[in-house]
Amino acid sequence: MSATARARTVAGGGAVTHEGIFLAEQLWPIKGQLVLALIGLAIGGLMGLMQALDRVGIVIYKAMLMQTYYQGLTIHGVLLAFLFTFAFSNAFVSLVAIRGFERPLASTFLAQGAFWTMLVGTLLAAYAILTNQATVLFTFYAPMRASSLFFLGAALLVISTLLTALNLVLTRRAWQREHPGERTPLLGFVGVVTYVMWALASLGVVVLVVFFLLPWSLGWLKTTDPQFNRILFWYTGHAIVYFWLMPAYISWYLMVPRQVGGRVFSDSLVRLAFILLLVFSVPTGLHHQYVDPGIPTVMKVVHLFTTFSVVFPSLVTAFTVMAALEDGGRARGGTGLLGWIWKLPWGDPSVAAQLLAMLVFILGGATGIVNASYNLNNVVHNTSFVPGHFHMTVGTAVTLSFIGISYWLIPFLTGRELMGRRLALAQAWLWFVGVLLFARGQIAAGLLGEPRRSSIGEAPYRDLISAGLDNWLTAIGGTLMVISGLLYFIVVLWTVFAGRRLTQPLEIPVAEMRFGARETSPRLDQLGFWFLIAVILVAIAYIPTILLYLPLQSVSPPIKVY
Amino acid sequence: MRIEAYERIFMILAGLMLVLGIVGIGIGALVAGVHVPSPAGRIDPRALSTTPPFDQPGLRDLGGGKYEAVVIARAWQFQPDEIQVPVGATVTFTLASPDVIHGFVLTGTNANVMVIPGQISQVTARFDQPGEYLWVCHEYCGFGHHQMYGKVVVR
Ligand code: HEM
Ligand SMILES: [Cu+2]
Ligand SMILES: [Cu+2]
């Protein structure tokens, strides 16, 4: 078997040498973005404490050096939902792509550019928020006025991801030129699909910020149309959740199986799942606007259908990953229907964190179906049910997975052994218990009508909504999550600054395939074709909405209410 | 293309689940009549106080147990912030905002709608039990957001 053929079917296992693919000038921006991601997680997460305690009337935003609850909440949303996720994903997916294509990224300039734009964007947005010029939450709905520095910062964060997207596409091109006629290695492919999906998905926010909000905040445009702006925001705002999830899926599909000693069923299904995510993720945004007054019911129903289609690849993921885990558990001597579960390497913090993240994701997915359900949404829209749901998805499925990934990624990048493994295990379990209590509290309170994004601790109606116990669960669960976060940073700092030097360099874990690329239909490798389908679907889903909506109702000057 | 029998079975099951879900929602909409809010007209937020019906916010008796509550949502108060109706009343809330985006959720009912400058929002709720029904602003509308609420008193 030739080296390339083996790399194709086996896709890992140390079958190929990695010398020369990780260039120092491409590694430092990757490390730099990882640092930015972790700073985002640390500061953003700390704000969570204030929010959780607020539920039971313990108001500590002043102690957190914030003027209002909402300033802290803006930091929480922006640093966690944008900075942490974007920066981690840029770092992780770039690294994985290098390993997947067995070659350096096509452009060092773009790799470093991604770091610099991320850094400058963060500084601008942070400055605006900390000086209370942008207490507009991470959704920055017009006509709430924010400093143009904030919009500029947010735009740069997105641009950083787009530079990474371009680099990944170019890297795939370069690989194809070097390997004419061969199928793209799966590990490279999934990273590129993730970013191509996002490139299409980010269009809404890019147009929103560049053509509407930035000129409007600068005074060049006098007014804007808040309903139309929301359509643009949610065009991106739902697909973004898949952009958060897909890097975690990459790990669940192609790395965790390796870590537990299992194999993935087939190359085909993984490719198919990612392609379906590309095709169906974007034309779904209106389901965040089921209760918006200005959108015709027909279009809401169209998006209802596309939303449910995107559940399909997630169900496929659940199956495929489960099957690979079972394979691993049985290879380790597990027997019986469920006996294999206990044989999984639960003592490995990287594995444990990600398995727990997957478990929570089942609940997150179920509550997501509630949100997406056209008429159930009437009960839960904008109540605390919603943060209950997304702390199980992005707040845990993604975040705890990223934490788990970092338990091998940081040793890989620093050449130092992971320290405090027991602490790391405790961290994962504490997060798991914490988020279950937290989400139980938020969800139940939401069903009673408790609004989200409200300083409940100061609300005059707090006692009129009988969610006393639920709010306590939120507070306790949230506090456990923050403590878990603290343990995480102890482990990270300990590893980075005092970790023992590894005697041997680490391998990036990459799973083997039971059925490799040779059994895969070439259709599934034609990214351009699928991208076109995605664009057509987006056009069908959005053009009629926008046409029905025109002419714009540009009536709102910027208003500062914070 | 190689798809295992297991994989095929699972994909079919997943597809069926989705179809079931959509059918369930269809039944909710068609049989149980649960609908999401739909467009109820546009309005200039800068001229809200002079545009009917918002020039006279308050409760109107439409006869036959039907009422319309015209409510302005502004930072940081609903106007009016309390209405009184008899048991069995069906109330249509007609809302608009003169400033930023607000929200409206009526606890214990299905009534939930955004109030977006430029748009008129409408939701309907029926009150079969006596008591007080709280409504709150559920979209962040500035630092007084959590002070924004109102109630329906049903006797
Ligand atoms: C560390 C523990 C965490 C705690 C205790 C916590 C707590 C909370 C609470 C109580 C809210 C609701 C605030 C409100 O509606 O007024 C909230 C909102 C939010 N959280 Fe977290 N959270 C944590 C971690 C995370 C993580 C890891 C993420 C994402 C990566 C995240 C993303 C968000 C987002 C996007 C919002 C919405 C902000 C908004 O509505 O503007 N949180 N969090
Ligand atoms: Cu309000
Ligand atoms: Cu509000």
Side-chain angles (χ1 to χ4, degrees), chain A residues 70 135 143 265-266 291-293 300 305 308 315 319 374 378-379 381-382 453-454 461 515 519 549 551 561, chain B residues 1-2 7 10-11 18 22 29 35-37 39 42 76 99 110 112 114 119 138-140 142-143 145-146:
Chain A
Y70 303 103
T135 301
F265 253 121
S266 69
V291 306
D292 272 25
K300 291 176 180 170
F305 284 106
F308 271 75
L315 288 174
F319 166 73
Y374 184 72
N378 279 343
V379 180
H381 177 84
N382 254 0
R453 328 176 101 180
S454 297
Y461 52 72
F515 304 111
E519 288 88 355
Y549 197 76
V561 274
Chain B
M1 178 166 108
R2 185 87 182 224
E7 294 179 330
F10 187 81
M11 284 162 71
L18 296 184
I22 291 179
H35 280 292
V36 297
R42 290 179 173 185
W76 294 293
D99 44 45
N110 273 338
N112 192 331
M114 302 303 297
Q119 305 287 333
H138 67 26
E139 185 57 81
Y140 170 62
F143 71 75
H145 164 53
H146 50 274

Short mmCIF file of all heavy atoms in Angstrom, two decimals, chain A residues 70 135 143 265-266 291-293 300 305 308 315 319 374 378-379 381-382 453-454 461 515 519 549 551 561, chain B residues 1-2 7 10-11 18 22 29 35-37 39 42 76 99 110 112 114 119 138-140 142-143 145-146:
data_model
loop_
_atom_site.label_atom_id
_atom_site.label_comp_id
_atom_site.label_asym_id
_atom_site.label_seq_id
_atom_site.Cartn_x
_atom_site.Cartn_y
_atom_site.Cartn_z
N TYR A 70 -26.63 44.77 32.64
CA TYR A 70 -26.61 44.59 31.18
C TYR A 70 -25.24 44.80 30.57
O TYR A 70 -24.93 44.23 29.54
CB TYR A 70 -27.67 45.51 30.54
CG TYR A 70 -29.03 45.22 31.13
CD1 TYR A 70 -29.60 46.08 32.09
CD2 TYR A 70 -29.70 44.06 30.82
CE1 TYR A 70 -30.82 45.78 32.66
CE2 TYR A 70 -30.91 43.75 31.40
CZ TYR A 70 -31.47 44.61 32.32
OH TYR A 70 -32.66 44.30 32.90
N THR A 135 -23.55 48.96 25.52
CA THR A 135 -24.29 47.99 26.34
C THR A 135 -25.54 47.57 25.56
O THR A 135 -26.66 47.91 25.91
CB THR A 135 -24.62 48.61 27.70
OG1 THR A 135 -23.36 48.96 28.31
CG2 THR A 135 -25.33 47.63 28.62
N PRO A 143 -33.06 49.90 17.08
CA PRO A 143 -32.33 51.16 17.08
C PRO A 143 -31.51 51.42 18.35
O PRO A 143 -31.23 52.58 18.65
CB PRO A 143 -33.45 52.18 16.95
CG PRO A 143 -34.61 51.56 17.65
CD PRO A 143 -34.47 50.08 17.46
N PHE A 265 -17.75 4.33 11.32
CA PHE A 265 -18.33 3.43 10.33
C PHE A 265 -17.84 3.72 8.93
O PHE A 265 -17.15 2.93 8.31
CB PHE A 265 -19.85 3.54 10.34
CG PHE A 265 -20.48 2.34 10.97
CD1 PHE A 265 -21.29 2.47 12.08
CD2 PHE A 265 -20.24 1.08 10.45
CE1 PHE A 265 -21.85 1.37 12.66
CE2 PHE A 265 -20.81 -0.03 11.02
CZ PHE A 265 -21.62 0.13 12.14
N SER A 266 -18.23 4.89 8.41
CA SER A 266 -17.86 5.12 7.01
C SER A 266 -17.58 6.57 6.72
O SER A 266 -18.16 7.48 7.31
CB SER A 266 -18.97 4.62 6.08
OG SER A 266 -20.09 5.45 6.20
N VAL A 291 -42.30 35.13 16.37
CA VAL A 291 -43.23 36.08 16.98
C VAL A 291 -42.94 37.53 16.58
O VAL A 291 -43.44 38.45 17.20
CB VAL A 291 -43.31 35.93 18.52
CG1 VAL A 291 -43.61 34.50 18.91
CG2 VAL A 291 -42.05 36.41 19.18
N ASP A 292 -42.15 37.72 15.53
CA ASP A 292 -41.95 39.07 15.01
C ASP A 292 -43.20 39.52 14.27
O ASP A 292 -43.78 38.74 13.51
CB ASP A 292 -40.77 39.10 14.03
CG ASP A 292 -39.45 39.33 14.73
OD1 ASP A 292 -39.36 39.01 15.93
OD2 ASP A 292 -38.50 39.81 14.08
N PRO A 293 -43.61 40.77 14.47
CA PRO A 293 -44.85 41.22 13.83
C PRO A 293 -44.70 41.38 12.31
O PRO A 293 -45.67 41.21 11.59
CB PRO A 293 -45.11 42.57 14.50
CG PRO A 293 -43.79 43.03 14.99
CD PRO A 293 -43.04 41.79 15.36
N LYS A 300 -42.52 32.16 7.56
CA LYS A 300 -42.19 31.49 8.82
C LYS A 300 -42.37 29.98 8.66
O LYS A 300 -41.57 29.19 9.17
CB LYS A 300 -43.08 32.02 9.94
CG LYS A 300 -42.78 33.47 10.33
CD LYS A 300 -43.74 33.99 11.38
CE LYS A 300 -43.42 35.45 11.76
NZ LYS A 300 -44.45 36.06 12.60
N PHE A 305 -39.89 24.28 7.96
CA PHE A 305 -39.49 23.04 7.29
C PHE A 305 -37.99 22.91 7.18
O PHE A 305 -37.42 21.86 7.48
CB PHE A 305 -40.13 22.96 5.89
CG PHE A 305 -41.57 22.60 5.95
CD1 PHE A 305 -42.56 23.54 5.72
CD2 PHE A 305 -41.95 21.30 6.27
CE1 PHE A 305 -43.90 23.20 5.81
CE2 PHE A 305 -43.30 20.95 6.35
CZ PHE A 305 -44.28 21.91 6.13
N PHE A 308 -36.41 21.96 10.47
CA PHE A 308 -36.50 20.55 10.80
C PHE A 308 -35.57 19.70 9.95
O PHE A 308 -35.07 18.68 10.41
CB PHE A 308 -37.96 20.07 10.73
CG PHE A 308 -38.67 20.26 12.05
CD1 PHE A 308 -39.06 21.53 12.46
CD2 PHE A 308 -38.87 19.20 12.90
CE1 PHE A 308 -39.67 21.72 13.69
CE2 PHE A 308 -39.47 19.39 14.13
CZ PHE A 308 -39.87 20.65 14.53
N LEU A 315 -29.19 14.19 13.97
CA LEU A 315 -29.57 12.85 14.39
C LEU A 315 -28.59 11.82 13.82
O LEU A 315 -28.21 10.85 14.49
CB LEU A 315 -31.00 12.53 13.92
CG LEU A 315 -32.11 13.28 14.67
CD1 LEU A 315 -33.46 13.01 14.05
CD2 LEU A 315 -32.13 12.88 16.13
N PHE A 319 -26.14 9.08 15.87
CA PHE A 319 -25.99 7.66 15.60
C PHE A 319 -24.55 7.27 15.31
O PHE A 319 -24.01 6.34 15.89
CB PHE A 319 -26.86 7.28 14.40
CG PHE A 319 -26.52 5.93 13.85
CD1 PHE A 319 -26.87 4.78 14.54
CD2 PHE A 319 -25.83 5.82 12.66
CE1 PHE A 319 -26.54 3.54 14.04
CE2 PHE A 319 -25.49 4.58 12.16
CZ PHE A 319 -25.84 3.43 12.85
N TYR A 374 -42.71 26.06 15.57
CA TYR A 374 -43.66 27.12 15.24
C TYR A 374 -44.62 27.50 16.37
O TYR A 374 -44.55 28.60 16.90
CB TYR A 374 -44.41 26.58 14.02
CG TYR A 374 -45.40 27.50 13.38
CD1 TYR A 374 -44.96 28.59 12.67
CD2 TYR A 374 -46.75 27.22 13.48
CE1 TYR A 374 -45.88 29.40 12.04
CE2 TYR A 374 -47.68 28.03 12.85
CZ TYR A 374 -47.24 29.12 12.13
OH TYR A 374 -48.14 29.92 11.52
N ASN A 378 -44.45 30.05 20.84
CA ASN A 378 -45.25 31.10 21.47
C ASN A 378 -45.13 31.10 22.99
O ASN A 378 -45.33 32.12 23.63
CB ASN A 378 -46.74 30.87 21.16
CG ASN A 378 -47.10 31.39 19.79
OD1 ASN A 378 -46.37 32.18 19.22
ND2 ASN A 378 -48.23 30.94 19.28
N VAL A 379 -44.89 29.94 23.56
CA VAL A 379 -44.83 29.86 25.02
C VAL A 379 -43.44 30.24 25.54
O VAL A 379 -43.31 30.83 26.59
CB VAL A 379 -45.21 28.44 25.48
CG1 VAL A 379 -45.16 28.32 26.99
CG2 VAL A 379 -46.59 28.06 24.97
N HIS A 381 -40.69 31.79 23.67
CA HIS A 381 -39.86 32.81 23.02
C HIS A 381 -39.40 33.89 23.99
O HIS A 381 -40.22 34.51 24.68
CB HIS A 381 -40.62 33.46 21.86
CG HIS A 381 -39.84 34.56 21.22
ND1 HIS A 381 -38.89 34.34 20.25
CD2 HIS A 381 -39.81 35.90 21.45
CE1 HIS A 381 -38.34 35.48 19.90
NE2 HIS A 381 -38.88 36.45 20.62
N ASN A 382 -38.10 34.11 24.02
CA ASN A 382 -37.51 35.17 24.85
C ASN A 382 -37.74 35.01 26.35
O ASN A 382 -37.54 35.95 27.11
CB ASN A 382 -38.00 36.54 24.41
CG ASN A 382 -36.91 37.30 23.68
OD1 ASN A 382 -35.81 36.79 23.51
ND2 ASN A 382 -37.20 38.50 23.26
N ARG A 453 -32.78 37.91 29.65
CA ARG A 453 -32.05 39.17 29.54
C ARG A 453 -32.65 40.24 30.44
O ARG A 453 -32.76 41.39 30.06
CB ARG A 453 -32.04 39.69 28.11
CG ARG A 453 -32.04 38.62 27.08
CD ARG A 453 -32.12 39.18 25.70
NE ARG A 453 -30.80 39.17 25.10
CZ ARG A 453 -30.53 39.59 23.88
NH1 ARG A 453 -31.47 40.13 23.14
NH2 ARG A 453 -29.33 39.52 23.40
N SER A 454 -33.05 39.83 31.64
CA SER A 454 -33.61 40.78 32.60
C SER A 454 -32.90 40.62 33.92
O SER A 454 -32.60 39.50 34.32
CB SER A 454 -35.10 40.49 32.82
OG SER A 454 -35.82 40.65 31.63
N TYR A 461 -41.39 42.56 39.56
CA TYR A 461 -42.33 41.44 39.41
C TYR A 461 -41.73 40.10 39.81
O TYR A 461 -42.33 39.06 39.58
CB TYR A 461 -42.85 41.37 37.96
CG TYR A 461 -41.75 41.34 36.90
CD1 TYR A 461 -40.95 40.21 36.71
CD2 TYR A 461 -41.51 42.46 36.10
CE1 TYR A 461 -39.95 40.19 35.76
CE2 TYR A 461 -40.51 42.44 35.13
CZ TYR A 461 -39.73 41.30 34.97
OH TYR A 461 -38.75 41.28 34.03
N PHE A 515 -14.87 1.90 6.67
CA PHE A 515 -14.94 1.98 5.21
C PHE A 515 -14.42 3.33 4.79
O PHE A 515 -15.00 4.35 5.12
CB PHE A 515 -16.37 1.80 4.72
CG PHE A 515 -16.98 0.52 5.19
CD1 PHE A 515 -18.00 0.53 6.10
CD2 PHE A 515 -16.47 -0.68 4.74
CE1 PHE A 515 -18.54 -0.66 6.57
CE2 PHE A 515 -17.00 -1.88 5.19
CZ PHE A 515 -18.04 -1.86 6.11
N GLU A 519 -14.75 3.87 -0.86
CA GLU A 519 -16.16 3.47 -0.98
C GLU A 519 -17.09 4.68 -1.08
O GLU A 519 -18.29 4.52 -1.11
CB GLU A 519 -16.57 2.62 0.23
CG GLU A 519 -15.98 1.22 0.22
CD GLU A 519 -14.63 1.16 0.90
OE1 GLU A 519 -14.11 2.22 1.27
OE2 GLU A 519 -14.08 0.05 1.04
N TYR A 549 -40.97 42.35 1.98
CA TYR A 549 -40.70 43.31 3.03
C TYR A 549 -40.45 44.72 2.51
O TYR A 549 -40.67 45.70 3.19
CB TYR A 549 -39.51 42.83 3.85
CG TYR A 549 -39.51 43.56 5.13
CD1 TYR A 549 -40.42 43.20 6.11
CD2 TYR A 549 -38.74 44.68 5.31
CE1 TYR A 549 -40.53 43.93 7.24
CE2 TYR A 549 -38.83 45.42 6.45
CZ TYR A 549 -39.73 45.04 7.41
OH TYR A 549 -39.85 45.78 8.52
N PRO A 551 -40.94 48.21 0.32
CA PRO A 551 -39.79 49.06 0.61
C PRO A 551 -39.46 49.08 2.11
O PRO A 551 -40.33 48.84 2.93
CB PRO A 551 -40.28 50.43 0.16
CG PRO A 551 -41.76 50.37 0.35
CD PRO A 551 -42.15 48.96 0.04
N VAL A 561 -30.17 54.00 25.42
CA VAL A 561 -31.04 53.83 26.58
C VAL A 561 -30.32 53.07 27.70
O VAL A 561 -30.94 52.34 28.46
CB VAL A 561 -32.31 53.04 26.19
CG1 VAL A 561 -33.39 53.94 25.65
CG2 VAL A 561 -31.98 51.91 25.23
N MET B 1 -21.51 3.89 -3.50
CA MET B 1 -21.22 4.51 -2.19
C MET B 1 -21.56 3.54 -1.08
O MET B 1 -22.58 2.85 -1.13
CB MET B 1 -22.06 5.78 -2.09
CG MET B 1 -21.91 6.49 -0.81
SD MET B 1 -22.62 8.14 -0.97
CE MET B 1 -24.07 7.99 0.01
N ARG B 2 -20.72 3.47 -0.09
CA ARG B 2 -20.89 2.47 0.95
C ARG B 2 -21.68 3.03 2.12
O ARG B 2 -21.21 3.85 2.87
CB ARG B 2 -19.49 2.06 1.43
CG ARG B 2 -19.53 0.94 2.43
CD ARG B 2 -19.53 -0.35 1.67
NE ARG B 2 -19.60 -1.47 2.61
CZ ARG B 2 -18.85 -2.56 2.49
NH1 ARG B 2 -17.99 -2.67 1.52
NH2 ARG B 2 -18.98 -3.54 3.37
N GLU B 7 -26.69 2.08 9.12
CA GLU B 7 -26.74 3.52 8.84
C GLU B 7 -28.03 3.85 8.10
O GLU B 7 -28.69 4.85 8.37
CB GLU B 7 -25.52 3.95 8.01
CG GLU B 7 -24.22 3.80 8.79
CD GLU B 7 -22.99 4.18 7.99
OE1 GLU B 7 -22.99 4.04 6.75
OE2 GLU B 7 -22.02 4.62 8.60
N PHE B 10 -31.02 3.78 10.38
CA PHE B 10 -31.06 4.94 11.26
C PHE B 10 -31.50 6.19 10.52
O PHE B 10 -32.26 7.00 11.03
CB PHE B 10 -29.70 5.17 11.92
CG PHE B 10 -29.79 6.24 12.93
CD1 PHE B 10 -30.27 5.96 14.18
CD2 PHE B 10 -29.45 7.55 12.62
CE1 PHE B 10 -30.40 6.95 15.12
CE2 PHE B 10 -29.58 8.54 13.55
CZ PHE B 10 -30.05 8.24 14.80
N MET B 11 -31.02 6.31 9.30
CA MET B 11 -31.40 7.51 8.54
C MET B 11 -32.90 7.52 8.27
O MET B 11 -33.56 8.56 8.33
CB MET B 11 -30.60 7.59 7.24
CG MET B 11 -29.17 8.04 7.49
SD MET B 11 -28.04 7.68 6.15
CE MET B 11 -28.61 8.82 4.93
N LEU B 18 -38.72 13.27 11.97
CA LEU B 18 -38.94 14.65 11.54
C LEU B 18 -40.32 14.83 10.94
O LEU B 18 -41.02 15.80 11.22
CB LEU B 18 -37.88 15.04 10.50
CG LEU B 18 -36.48 15.03 11.04
CD1 LEU B 18 -35.51 15.50 10.00
CD2 LEU B 18 -36.43 15.95 12.25
N ILE B 22 -43.27 17.39 12.22
CA ILE B 22 -43.91 18.41 11.39
C ILE B 22 -45.42 18.18 11.35
O ILE B 22 -46.21 19.13 11.44
CB ILE B 22 -43.28 18.39 9.98
CG1 ILE B 22 -41.84 18.91 10.08
CG2 ILE B 22 -44.08 19.25 9.03
CD1 ILE B 22 -41.07 18.93 8.80
N ALA B 29 -51.46 23.71 14.46
CA ALA B 29 -51.85 24.93 13.75
C ALA B 29 -53.25 24.81 13.15
O ALA B 29 -54.08 25.71 13.29
CB ALA B 29 -50.83 25.24 12.66
N HIS B 35 -51.57 29.80 16.47
CA HIS B 35 -50.84 30.49 15.41
C HIS B 35 -49.81 31.44 15.98
O HIS B 35 -49.95 31.91 17.09
CB HIS B 35 -51.81 31.27 14.52
CG HIS B 35 -52.47 30.39 13.52
ND1 HIS B 35 -51.78 29.80 12.50
CD2 HIS B 35 -53.74 29.95 13.44
CE1 HIS B 35 -52.60 29.05 11.80
NE2 HIS B 35 -53.80 29.11 12.35
N VAL B 36 -48.82 31.73 15.15
CA VAL B 36 -47.86 32.75 15.56
C VAL B 36 -48.40 34.10 15.10
O VAL B 36 -49.24 34.16 14.22
CB VAL B 36 -46.47 32.47 14.95
CG1 VAL B 36 -45.93 31.16 15.45
CG2 VAL B 36 -46.51 32.49 13.45
N PRO B 37 -47.92 35.18 15.71
CA PRO B 37 -48.39 36.51 15.31
C PRO B 37 -48.10 36.75 13.83
O PRO B 37 -47.10 36.26 13.30
CB PRO B 37 -47.57 37.45 16.18
CG PRO B 37 -47.12 36.64 17.33
CD PRO B 37 -46.97 35.25 16.83
N PRO B 39 -48.33 39.79 10.40
CA PRO B 39 -48.24 41.24 10.19
C PRO B 39 -49.58 41.94 10.40
O PRO B 39 -50.61 41.48 9.93
CB PRO B 39 -47.80 41.35 8.73
CG PRO B 39 -47.03 40.10 8.49
CD PRO B 39 -47.73 39.04 9.28
N ARG B 42 -48.00 48.65 9.40
CA ARG B 42 -46.80 49.42 9.74
C ARG B 42 -47.20 50.76 10.32
O ARG B 42 -48.33 51.22 10.15
CB ARG B 42 -45.96 49.64 8.49
CG ARG B 42 -45.32 48.37 7.97
CD ARG B 42 -44.53 48.69 6.71
NE ARG B 42 -43.77 47.54 6.27
CZ ARG B 42 -42.92 47.58 5.25
NH1 ARG B 42 -42.74 48.70 4.58
NH2 ARG B 42 -42.25 46.51 4.89
N TRP B 76 -39.45 52.98 29.89
CA TRP B 76 -39.52 51.62 30.35
C TRP B 76 -40.83 51.37 31.04
O TRP B 76 -40.90 51.12 32.23
CB TRP B 76 -38.37 51.33 31.31
CG TRP B 76 -37.06 51.39 30.61
CD1 TRP B 76 -36.60 50.53 29.65
CD2 TRP B 76 -36.01 52.35 30.78
NE1 TRP B 76 -35.35 50.89 29.20
CE2 TRP B 76 -34.97 52.00 29.89
CE3 TRP B 76 -35.86 53.48 31.58
CZ2 TRP B 76 -33.79 52.74 29.80
CZ3 TRP B 76 -34.70 54.21 31.49
CH2 TRP B 76 -33.67 53.84 30.60
N ASP B 99 -39.84 53.91 20.49
CA ASP B 99 -38.38 54.05 20.60
C ASP B 99 -37.63 52.79 20.17
O ASP B 99 -37.38 52.61 19.00
CB ASP B 99 -37.99 54.50 22.02
CG ASP B 99 -38.74 53.77 23.13
OD1 ASP B 99 -38.85 52.54 23.03
OD2 ASP B 99 -39.21 54.42 24.09
N ASN B 110 -50.69 31.85 25.68
CA ASN B 110 -49.82 31.69 24.51
C ASN B 110 -49.41 33.02 23.91
O ASN B 110 -48.76 33.03 22.87
CB ASN B 110 -50.58 30.95 23.41
CG ASN B 110 -50.46 29.47 23.58
OD1 ASN B 110 -49.54 28.99 24.22
ND2 ASN B 110 -51.41 28.73 23.01
N ASN B 112 -47.46 36.01 22.97
CA ASN B 112 -46.04 36.33 23.01
C ASN B 112 -45.72 37.04 21.70
O ASN B 112 -45.97 36.49 20.63
CB ASN B 112 -45.24 35.02 23.14
CG ASN B 112 -43.79 35.25 23.48
OD1 ASN B 112 -43.21 36.27 23.12
ND2 ASN B 112 -43.18 34.29 24.15
N MET B 114 -43.10 40.26 19.69
CA MET B 114 -42.11 41.33 19.74
C MET B 114 -42.80 42.64 19.39
O MET B 114 -43.77 42.66 18.63
CB MET B 114 -41.00 41.08 18.72
CG MET B 114 -40.25 39.76 18.87
SD MET B 114 -39.50 39.54 20.47
CE MET B 114 -38.34 40.92 20.45
N GLN B 119 -43.51 48.66 13.26
CA GLN B 119 -44.50 47.61 13.07
C GLN B 119 -45.58 47.69 14.15
O GLN B 119 -45.30 48.09 15.28
CB GLN B 119 -43.84 46.23 13.17
CG GLN B 119 -42.68 46.01 12.24
CD GLN B 119 -43.13 45.84 10.80
OE1 GLN B 119 -44.24 45.39 10.53
NE2 GLN B 119 -42.26 46.21 9.87
N HIS B 138 -39.99 41.37 27.44
CA HIS B 138 -38.98 40.31 27.41
C HIS B 138 -37.90 40.56 26.36
O HIS B 138 -37.19 39.64 25.97
CB HIS B 138 -39.60 38.93 27.28
CG HIS B 138 -40.30 38.65 25.98
ND1 HIS B 138 -39.98 39.27 24.81
CD2 HIS B 138 -41.30 37.79 25.69
CE1 HIS B 138 -40.75 38.80 23.85
NE2 HIS B 138 -41.58 37.91 24.35
N GLU B 139 -37.81 41.79 25.87
CA GLU B 139 -36.66 42.10 25.03
C GLU B 139 -35.90 43.25 25.68
O GLU B 139 -36.50 44.28 26.02
CB GLU B 139 -37.10 42.48 23.62
CG GLU B 139 -35.92 42.71 22.66
CD GLU B 139 -35.01 41.50 22.56
OE1 GLU B 139 -35.34 40.56 21.82
OE2 GLU B 139 -33.97 41.50 23.25
N TYR B 140 -34.60 43.05 25.83
CA TYR B 140 -33.75 44.07 26.45
C TYR B 140 -33.99 45.43 25.80
O TYR B 140 -33.84 45.59 24.59
CB TYR B 140 -32.28 43.67 26.30
CG TYR B 140 -31.32 44.77 26.69
CD1 TYR B 140 -31.30 45.26 27.99
CD2 TYR B 140 -30.44 45.31 25.77
CE1 TYR B 140 -30.42 46.27 28.36
CE2 TYR B 140 -29.55 46.31 26.13
CZ TYR B 140 -29.55 46.78 27.42
OH TYR B 140 -28.67 47.77 27.77
N GLY B 142 -32.86 48.51 27.44
CA GLY B 142 -32.15 49.55 28.17
C GLY B 142 -32.10 49.23 29.65
O GLY B 142 -32.62 48.19 30.08
N PHE B 143 -31.49 50.13 30.44
CA PHE B 143 -31.20 49.72 31.82
C PHE B 143 -32.42 49.62 32.72
O PHE B 143 -32.33 49.10 33.82
CB PHE B 143 -30.07 50.55 32.43
CG PHE B 143 -30.39 51.98 32.74
CD1 PHE B 143 -31.18 52.30 33.83
CD2 PHE B 143 -29.88 53.01 31.95
CE1 PHE B 143 -31.47 53.62 34.14
CE2 PHE B 143 -30.17 54.33 32.25
CZ PHE B 143 -30.96 54.64 33.34
N HIS B 145 -35.10 47.95 31.70
CA HIS B 145 -35.83 46.84 31.08
C HIS B 145 -36.61 45.99 32.08
O HIS B 145 -37.77 45.67 31.87
CB HIS B 145 -34.83 45.99 30.30
CG HIS B 145 -35.30 44.64 29.91
ND1 HIS B 145 -36.48 44.44 29.23
CD2 HIS B 145 -34.74 43.41 30.10
CE1 HIS B 145 -36.62 43.13 29.01
NE2 HIS B 145 -35.60 42.50 29.54
N HIS B 146 -35.96 45.67 33.21
CA HIS B 146 -36.61 44.76 34.15
C HIS B 146 -37.73 45.44 34.94
O HIS B 146 -38.38 44.80 35.76
CB HIS B 146 -35.55 44.18 35.10
CG HIS B 146 -34.67 45.24 35.71
ND1 HIS B 146 -33.54 45.70 35.06
CD2 HIS B 146 -34.79 45.94 36.84
CE1 HIS B 146 -32.99 46.64 35.81
NE2 HIS B 146 -33.72 46.81 36.89
#
